Amino acid sequence: MDMLRLLKGIFSLDTLIYLAILLVLLYAMARCLLPLVSLAGKLRRAARVIITENKQNKEKKSWNDIHFLGDRLEGVWADFLQNAELRDAHGESCDVTQYINEETVIEACSGTRLAEITPGILTSLGILGTFLGLVMGLSGLNLNAADTSVLLGAMQKLIGGMSTAFLTSIAGVVASILFNLLNTHYTNKCEKAIDRFCEVFSLYALPKPVSQDTAMLTLAQEQ
């Protein structure tokens, strides 16, 4: 009997709602926020490597490796290197911002769609707990009961249901606000890391375009 009461207490209505809110929050953070943190870190580290290698005048640059920006951006970076090589052969430069930008980094490599719907899911779970708590409290209410102890028990059940209703709503709203704040913070950091990387790459790594006369001469020689 003690074990049954313990299980009933653990898997009570409010506990299940809180657990659902927590699981959704943790899942969204793992799918949306952690990739942003990882991508921003890799871009900042890549910018530092480019600056260091430029100061050391290294002939073999690390950014020529398709794995330079990590696994998530490997495909995008491989496309950039391929196009940069082709353009360089014709005396032209390749704009890195066309390949490393918010669309290719943030939207493609993190759960942007999930981040948009997560606050609504968290708030909805809180509202669900509100209705379930009210239903739970009102289900045992019987104002026509003659026994005072029965009436007091029903009132206590109603108060408990209302407590569950309000607390689950608060939990859902707080979780939603927390996720929004964290997502905005790390998205801004990732955007700044993208801008910093593109700026550093354009200054220190991107081959400078040759003059128009040289480009025409190269094209004539190829023909």
Side-chain angles (χ1 to χ4, degrees):
M1 295 297 294
D2 293 336
M3 182 60 69
L4 290 176
R5 284 196 296 267
L6 178 62
L7 291 176
K8 185 177 180 180
I10 294 176
F11 294 102
S12 59
L13 176 62
D14 53 346
T15 303
L16 291 176
I17 295 296
Y18 296 142
L19 182 60
I21 292 174
L22 179 61
L23 291 177
V24 170
L25 179 61
L26 293 177
Y27 178 77
M29 291 176 67
R31 292 293 304 273
C32 303
L33 303 186
L34 291 183
L36 290 176
V37 174
S38 176
L39 291 168
K42 286 183 178 0
L43 290 170
R44 287 194 297 267
R45 184 165 53 252
R48 291 194 297 268
V49 170
I50 291 173
I51 294 175
T52 301
E53 291 183 349
N54 181 75
K55 291 180 179 179
Q56 296 175 352
N57 293 322
K58 284 189 175 182
E59 295 182 2
K60 186 177 181 181
K61 306 296 186 181
S62 299
W63 61 266
N64 284 308
D65 186 358
I66 62 173
H67 305 289
F68 181 59
L69 296 181
D71 296 336
R72 293 179 183 273
L73 298 175
E74 178 179 331
V76 175
W77 195 243
D79 292 339
F80 168 76
L81 293 177
Q82 182 179 7
N83 283 276
E85 183 179 0
L86 294 175
R87 286 179 173 270
D88 184 62
H90 292 84
E92 301 175 355
S93 62
C94 188
D95 188 3
V96 69
T97 59
Q98 294 181 357
Y99 298 86
I100 303 299
N101 49 55
E102 295 180 14
E103 181 180 354
T104 60
V105 177
I106 298 177
E107 296 181 12
C109 300
S110 65
T112 306
R113 177 57 182 165
L114 178 61
E116 293 176 354
I117 65 175
T118 294
I121 295 176
L122 294 171
T123 305
S124 298
L125 286 173
I127 295 174
L128 176 63
T130 299
F131 288 118
L132 292 178
L134 291 176
V135 170
M136 181 182 66
L138 294 173
S139 61
L141 184 61
N142 184 9
L143 298 178
N144 295 324
D147 193 347
T148 306
S149 61
V150 175
L151 184 59
L152 290 176
M155 293 299 294
Q156 290 178 353
K157 187 175 182 181
L158 175 61
I159 294 174
M162 293 179 65
S163 176
T164 297
F166 291 123
L167 290 178
T168 52
S169 291
I170 293 174
V173 172
V174 169
S176 177
I177 293 174
L178 176 62
F179 179 81
N180 267 328
L181 291 175
L182 291 175
N183 184 58
T184 301
H185 173 71
Y186 287 113
T187 299
N188 290 336
K189 291 188 68 174
C190 194
E191 290 175 352
K192 291 180 181 178
I194 293 172
D195 294 338
R196 174 61 177 169
F197 172 80
C198 292
E199 178 185 4
V200 169
F201 191 86
S202 298
L203 288 174
Y204 299 105
L206 193 65
K208 300 299 186 295
V210 298
S211 63
Q212 184 177 2
D213 294 338
T214 304
M216 294 296 294
L217 179 60
T218 302
L219 180 59
Q221 290 176 349
E222 291 180 354
Q223 291 176 348

